[in-house]
Amino acid sequence: MIAQLISIGNEITSGQTVDTNSAWLAQELAEFGVTCVRHQTIADELEPIRHAIDDAAGRSDLVIITGGLGPTPDDLTRQALADAMGVELLFHEPSLAHIEQYFALRKRHMHEGNRHQAYIPKGGDALHNERGTAPGIRAHLQNADIYCLPGVPSEMRDMFDVHVRPVLESESHGDATRIHVLHSIGMSESEIGERLKDMMRRDRNPTIGTSASELVISIRIVSHAESSVEAQRLLQADAAEIRDRLENTVFGEADETLESAVGRMLLDQRKTIATAESCTGGLIAKSLTDLPGSSAYFKQAFVTYSNESKTALLGVPEALITEHGAVSEPVARAMAENCRTRSGTDIALSATGIAGPTGGTPAKPIGLVYVGIASKNETVVKELRLGENITRAQVRGRTVKVLLNLLRLKLLKRERPDAD
Amino acid sequence: MIAQLISIGNEITSGQTVDTNSAWLAQELAEFGVTCVRHQTIADELEPIRHAIDDAAGRSDLVIITGGLGPTPDDLTRQALADAMGVELLFHEPSLAHIEQYFALRKRHMHEGNRHQAYIPKGGDALHNERGTAPGIRAHLQNADIYCLPGVPSEMRDMFDVHVRPVLESESHGDATRIHVLHSIGMSESEIGERLKDMMRRDRNPTIGTSASELVISIRIVSHAESSVEAQRLLQADAAEIRDRLENTVFGEADETLESAVGRMLLDQRKTIATAESCTGGLIAKSLTDLPGSSAYFKQAFVTYSNESKTALLGVPEALITEHGAVSEPVARAMAENCRTRSGTDIALSATGIAGPTGGTPAKPIGLVYVGIASKNETVVKELRLGENITRAQVRGRTVKVLLNLLRLKLLKRERPDAD
């Protein structure tokens, strides 16, 4: 089944409010095998709303409209739906009774505008709204079922659960969609595209798509089948195949983040960690402590932003800084090693670099960062060149991602206890 | 001028990602008097994208499409636009040269898929993308100007600034909408609503609206006039009036953040600062170093997550922690004072609290945080109760906001050099 969503309101088209209803509805619909192919957000204008409803109904089986059911003159969903259906609005007595009761119970004055909320397009049904004044509407247009729900997220979700979900449940037998997302880091989106080329064909089931967000590439698998067992089987087979093809770049799935994956590995391996940070200014420590329970592995951090603090807090020799500069391989190495011994942890991470937007030179450009990982047996320092055309926030954010991924790869090697 | 926005991608139609590009674009367009009447989000399907482009072009003067320009087979914007225009895709040699150079500079392998990114609909122009491989596209369809920009927000914003903004600027002469945003902290949205009640009438010019985001309330002023001088005058009069009514809660305007406002004050007053952090795990240091040039005032941070590290790094007496607990007024005080003396800075900040989601007790619930500010003359410690029904990220984020605001109010008192 194909669905389209329409959200109504100037506050959304103007950018003042971000529409979150559509994302929520799309995820709910997917559980019933209903694929959402378009969201539209329309300003509070009668003709554009009518057109959007008409266009959506002609191209899908289900249209859910949120918003525009309020009592003010700029609430136009009822009229626009009636116009799209070519019918008039009819007064619905039980809805008015509900609205009157709503105000009476709250000892509030009912405005004339609230009467308008009791009008329903001829041929449509009013849907009872337990939590607000505006009744929803169910109607039929072209080949599509149409639902109008309130725009307030809590009311909308409630109405969806009461009026839409049961219908979908009764209709969805024999159809099943399952969704799974894998997250990877360390391989470019185009390289992943090459490796999964045959699996990403448009006509294949499951369908597979990728999206990128600051070095993390997510791979989304959507399977369709006649039974949920079969859909799940297809999903798992593809997930296993993708993990195989992308090797150790896949670090997690669903809600998992690089930070939580690394945290879990530290916890499993009972390793403790500390950080010594210059250009990241505490962001590595912040990322490692984003997770509940991180005190089991994270002990402390030295944010040594000035050269003096690198010497005072971490014992990095002043001469080393003078000779090589604060942004250098030897300084990153000393920061990591001294942080580890001073913290008494199994592992220490360090980062020193040029975050920009100023301070870059031809020899040491913006985006040049040295990251270090010190453990009992070895210290590894890596030079990163993150590019000069990225923002300060990106230099810092990507430094953390790359460093945590290096740590992940290091921990991966020792994941079997007997290898320890 | 009427605009429509189209965002492309299964990750958005499926609800996995919330589209924030459209809200950003709508707000930017409003500054040029361009009204956004519809956003559409379309799945990665050729015909639906073609239809959406065609339908949008027929009903507006400007269409901005984001996403679907990547190198993989599910990136279909180029082809869909060509189909809507009824033309073929032509190979654009300079774009390929740019893509090849992009990979060469990064010493990365270029894949076959990246070649596809160099195809442009006949009659359209390639738009140079400084920060990525995908060129944008400018074209004309029906009566609308069409722009295709990347979906990655940072790249999209950059391309908008380079390729779209100058065109809008040159076209918007004689029209005058001006937007100004003030940011406040420390007064509730409803209190602000009361104080600005008469100014927030819907039929007034300028219009004034508020929005809240994690303790910061932003006040948006939009003025319309026949000349930009007049629109600007209306805007400034209202901004001054609002600053007056909201007293010292207004900390900045436009792109200014609480962090940048505090950073500017530290710089102006030539004060240096360090932090001692437990529950915030480095987030205060990270926030203070988000800004370019922060090394002028920020020196170092101690992230003392474990009790041992509070004693070892900051000299907080073990007995003090045993007697009062790590989350207590005396420990926050000792952390701030010892951090200041050990760092040799003018000011030191501290935070210790229960970030959750576990670890709360009736006496010390989740959201209980002690924050400290130590300076030469005094140490102030404040107990915060941020609420138990908020997330770990919210506890940490709000702690930083409240603490930085306390620091701002402290610095405000001494802003005149003669008061120093």
Side-chain angles (χ1 to χ4, degrees):
Chain A
M1 204 200 294
I2 298 297
Q4 291 203 20
L5 307 177
I6 301 176
S7 47
I8 309 290
N10 285 351
E11 74 281 8
I12 313 177
T13 50
S14 70
Q16 202 190 330
T17 302
V18 172
D19 170 35
T20 55
N21 281 344
S22 297
W24 186 85
L25 283 168
Q27 293 195 342
E28 295 299 313
L29 293 175
E31 289 189 19
F32 299 102
V34 178
T35 305
C36 214
V37 295
R38 174 156 76 156
H39 309 175
Q40 294 184 73
T41 300
I42 315 288
D44 297 311
E45 304 280 348
L46 192 58
E47 213 294 312
I49 301 175
R50 186 208 60 75
H51 171 74
I53 295 173
D54 190 54
D55 193 49
R59 303 172 69 87
S60 54
D61 313 299
L62 172 66
V63 178
I64 300 182
I65 306 166
T66 56
L69 294 175
T72 57
D74 58 355
D75 288 301
L76 299 165
T77 299
R78 281 176 295 271
Q79 187 63 57
L81 176 57
D83 290 355
M85 295 167 68
V87 301
E88 58 189 326
L89 285 170
L90 295 181
F91 182 65
H92 185 244
E93 187 62 46
S95 288
L96 181 65
H98 165 70
I99 295 167
E100 285 175 343
Q101 190 191 20
Y102 181 94
F103 282 97
L105 274 172
R106 285 160 183 77
K107 297 191 169 50
R108 278 167 46 193
H109 175 64
M110 189 182 122
H111 293 275
E112 185 54 29
N114 294 107
R115 278 185 66 88
H116 294 301
Q117 297 184 299
Y119 282 83
I120 301 291
K122 188 176 177 180
D125 302 317
L127 303 176
H128 184 69
N129 180 353
E130 193 60 50
R131 295 173 54 170
T133 57
I137 301 167
R138 176 173 24 226
H140 205 78
L141 175 58
Q142 302 183 54
N143 289 316
D145 288 320
I146 316 275
Y147 289 89
C148 302
L149 305 179
V152 178
S154 60
E155 279 185 43
M156 184 280 289
R157 293 177 188 200
D158 223 49
M159 297 276 283
F160 179 88
D161 287 345
V162 173
H163 298 291
V164 187
R165 194 185 296 280
V167 177
L168 293 174
E169 268 163 7
S170 71
E171 286 175 354
S172 70
H173 52 83
D175 185 11
T177 299
R178 285 292 177 277
I179 298 179
H180 192 63
V181 182
L182 298 175
H183 306 292
S184 73
I185 184 165
M187 196 180 279
S188 71
E189 191 171 11
S190 47
E191 167 80 23
I192 290 174
E194 285 293 321
R195 294 200 180 199
L196 305 182
K197 199 169 185 177
D198 56 314
M199 300 178 77
M200 290 178 78
R201 283 199 326 268
R202 305 298 305 157
D203 55 351
R204 189 173 168 279
N205 176 31
T207 55
I208 290 168
T210 60
S211 60
S213 172
E214 288 301 305
L215 304 188
V216 171
I217 313 290
S218 299
I219 301 102
R220 183 178 174 81
I221 315 167
V222 182
S223 68
H224 298 274
E226 293 202 351
S227 75
S228 60
V229 173
E230 175 61 8
Q232 190 64 29
R233 195 193 61 76
L234 287 171
L235 206 64
Q236 283 172 343
D238 266 23
E241 175 68 22
I242 291 170
R243 280 178 179 275
D244 211 50
R245 293 195 192 183
L246 303 189
E247 303 172 28
N248 62 9
T249 69
V250 175
F251 63 79
E253 52 186 56
D255 290 340
E256 219 165 4
T257 61
L258 183 58
E259 290 76 7
S260 65
V262 169
R264 183 174 36 74
M265 292 169 83
L266 289 167
L267 207 60
D268 288 351
Q269 298 183 30
R270 297 171 187 275
K271 301 265 194 249
T272 56
I273 194 163
T275 71
E277 312 188 34
S278 185
C279 63
T280 47
L283 184 57
I284 310 172
K286 182 264 173 195
S287 302
L288 285 169
T289 59
D290 274 340
L291 301 146
S294 46
S295 59
Y297 46 86
F298 183 84
K299 296 303 163 193
Q300 60 187 37
F302 302 87
V303 181
T304 52
Y305 211 59
S306 64
N307 288 350
E308 298 71 47
S309 64
K310 289 179 183 69
T311 303
L313 299 190
L314 287 170
V316 178
E318 217 179 306
L320 199 70
I321 299 177
T322 310
E323 188 184 347
H324 301 279
V327 178
S328 64
E329 197 276 352
V331 169
R333 180 176 297 273
M335 286 172 67
E337 289 178 352
N338 297 0
C339 176
R340 197 183 81 83
T341 50
R342 293 185 180 210
S343 303
T345 51
D346 299 310
I347 301 167
L349 307 179
S350 70
T352 178
I354 317 277
T358 56
T361 63
K364 296 194 174 176
I366 291 166
L368 173 69
V369 182
Y370 293 90
V371 293
I373 305 182
S375 58
K376 194 179 164 194
N377 300 323
E378 57 165 6
T379 301
V380 179
V381 177
K382 195 168 171 184
E383 177 186 297
L384 313 180
R385 291 184 181 263
L386 299 166
E388 294 186 58
N389 287 315
I390 65 177
T391 65
R392 181 177 175 83
Q394 286 175 319
V395 171
R396 285 154 52 102
R398 292 182 189 182
T399 296
V400 176
K401 288 273 193 292
V402 172
L403 179 53
L404 291 186
N405 191 44
L406 288 172
L407 174 59
R408 181 182 71 87
L409 295 173
K410 181 182 174 68
L411 292 170
L412 260 188
K413 287 189 209 149
R414 321 173 126 234
E415 215 167 26
R416 293 152 49 120
D418 56 342
D420 232 349
Chain B
M1 206 202 288
I2 298 297
Q4 291 203 19
L5 307 177
I6 301 177
S7 46
I8 309 291
N10 285 352
E11 74 279 10
I12 314 177
T13 50
S14 68
Q16 194 195 336
T17 301
V18 172
D19 171 35
T20 55
N21 281 343
S22 297
W24 186 86
L25 283 168
Q27 293 197 346
E28 295 298 313
L29 293 175
E31 291 195 18
F32 299 101
V34 178
T35 305
C36 212
V37 296
R38 175 157 73 157
H39 310 174
Q40 295 185 74
T41 301
I42 315 289
D44 296 312
E45 303 281 349
L46 193 59
E47 211 295 312
I49 301 174
R50 187 209 59 76
H51 171 74
I53 295 173
D54 190 55
D55 193 50
R59 303 172 69 87
S60 54
D61 313 300
L62 172 67
V63 178
I64 300 181
I65 306 167
T66 57
L69 294 176
T72 56
D74 59 351
D75 288 302
L76 299 164
T77 299
R78 280 177 294 269
Q79 186 63 56
L81 176 57
D83 289 355
M85 294 167 70
V87 301
E88 57 189 327
L89 284 170
L90 295 181
F91 181 65
H92 186 246
E93 187 61 46
S95 289
L96 181 66
H98 166 69
I99 295 168
E100 285 174 341
Q101 190 190 21
Y102 182 93
F103 281 96
L105 275 172
R106 285 161 184 77
K107 299 193 171 41
R108 277 167 46 194
H109 175 64
M110 188 184 126
H111 293 277
E112 185 56 30
N114 293 108
R115 278 186 66 90
H116 294 303
Q117 297 184 300
Y119 282 82
I120 302 291
K122 188 176 177 180
D125 302 316
L127 303 176
H128 184 68
N129 181 353
E130 192 61 50
R131 294 170 55 171
T133 55
I137 301 168
R138 177 178 17 230
H140 206 78
L141 175 59
Q142 302 183 55
N143 289 314
D145 289 318
I146 316 274
Y147 289 88
C148 302
L149 305 179
V152 178
S154 60
E155 278 185 43
M156 184 280 289
R157 293 178 188 199
D158 221 49
M159 297 275 284
F160 181 87
D161 287 345
V162 173
H163 298 291
V164 187
R165 192 184 297 280
V167 177
L168 294 173
E169 267 165 5
S170 72
E171 286 174 354
S172 69
H173 53 83
D175 178 17
T177 299
R178 286 291 177 276
I179 297 182
H180 192 62
V181 182
L182 298 175
H183 306 292
S184 73
I185 183 165
M187 195 180 281
S188 71
E189 193 170 11
S190 50
E191 167 78 21
I192 290 174
E194 282 297 317
R195 292 200 182 198
L196 305 182
K197 199 170 184 175
D198 55 313
M199 300 178 77
M200 290 178 76
R201 285 196 326 268
R202 301 300 305 158
D203 56 349
R204 190 173 167 278
N205 178 30
T207 54
I208 291 168
T210 59
S211 60
S213 171
E214 289 300 303
L215 304 186
V216 171
I217 313 290
S218 299
I219 302 103
R220 185 178 173 85
I221 315 167
V222 182
S223 69
H224 299 274
E226 294 200 353
S227 75
S228 59
V229 173
E230 177 59 9
Q232 191 62 30
R233 195 192 62 76
L234 288 170
L235 206 65
Q236 282 172 343
D238 266 23
E241 176 68 22
I242 291 169
R243 280 177 179 276
D244 210 50
R245 294 193 191 184
L246 303 189
E247 303 171 28
N248 64 9
T249 68
V250 175
F251 64 78
E253 53 185 55
D255 290 341
E256 219 165 3
T257 61
L258 183 57
E259 290 77 6
S260 66
V262 168
R264 185 174 35 74
M265 292 168 84
L266 289 168
L267 207 59
D268 288 349
Q269 298 182 31
R270 297 169 187 276
K271 300 265 195 251
T272 56
I273 195 164
T275 71
E277 312 187 36
S278 185
C279 63
T280 46
L283 185 56
I284 310 173
K286 182 265 176 193
S287 303
L288 285 169
T289 58
D290 274 341
L291 301 146
S294 46
S295 59
Y297 46 86
F298 183 83
K299 297 303 164 194
Q300 61 187 38
F302 301 86
V303 181
T304 53
Y305 212 58
S306 64
N307 288 351
E308 298 73 46
S309 65
K310 289 179 183 68
T311 302
L313 299 189
L314 288 169
V316 178
E318 218 180 305
L320 199 71
I321 298 176
T322 310
E323 188 182 349
H324 302 278
V327 178
S328 63
E329 197 275 353
V331 169
R333 180 176 297 273
M335 285 172 68
E337 289 178 351
N338 297 1
C339 175
R340 197 183 82 83
T341 50
R342 292 185 181 211
S343 305
T345 51
D346 299 309
I347 301 167
L349 307 179
S350 70
T352 179
I354 317 275
T358 58
T361 65
K364 296 193 175 178
I366 290 166
L368 173 69
V369 182
Y370 293 90
V371 293
I373 304 183
S375 57
K376 192 180 166 192
N377 298 322
E378 59 166 5
T379 301
V380 179
V381 176
K382 197 168 170 184
E383 178 186 297
L384 314 179
R385 289 184 181 264
L386 299 167
E388 295 187 56
N389 286 316
I390 63 176
T391 64
R392 179 177 175 83
Q394 285 175 320
V395 171
R396 286 156 50 104
R398 291 182 190 182
T399 296
V400 176
K401 288 273 192 293
V402 172
L403 178 53
L404 291 186
N405 191 44
L406 288 171
L407 174 60
R408 181 182 70 89
L409 295 173
K410 181 182 173 70
L411 292 170
L412 259 188
K413 287 189 208 150
R414 323 174 126 233
E415 216 167 27
R416 291 153 48 121
D418 55 343
D420 233 348

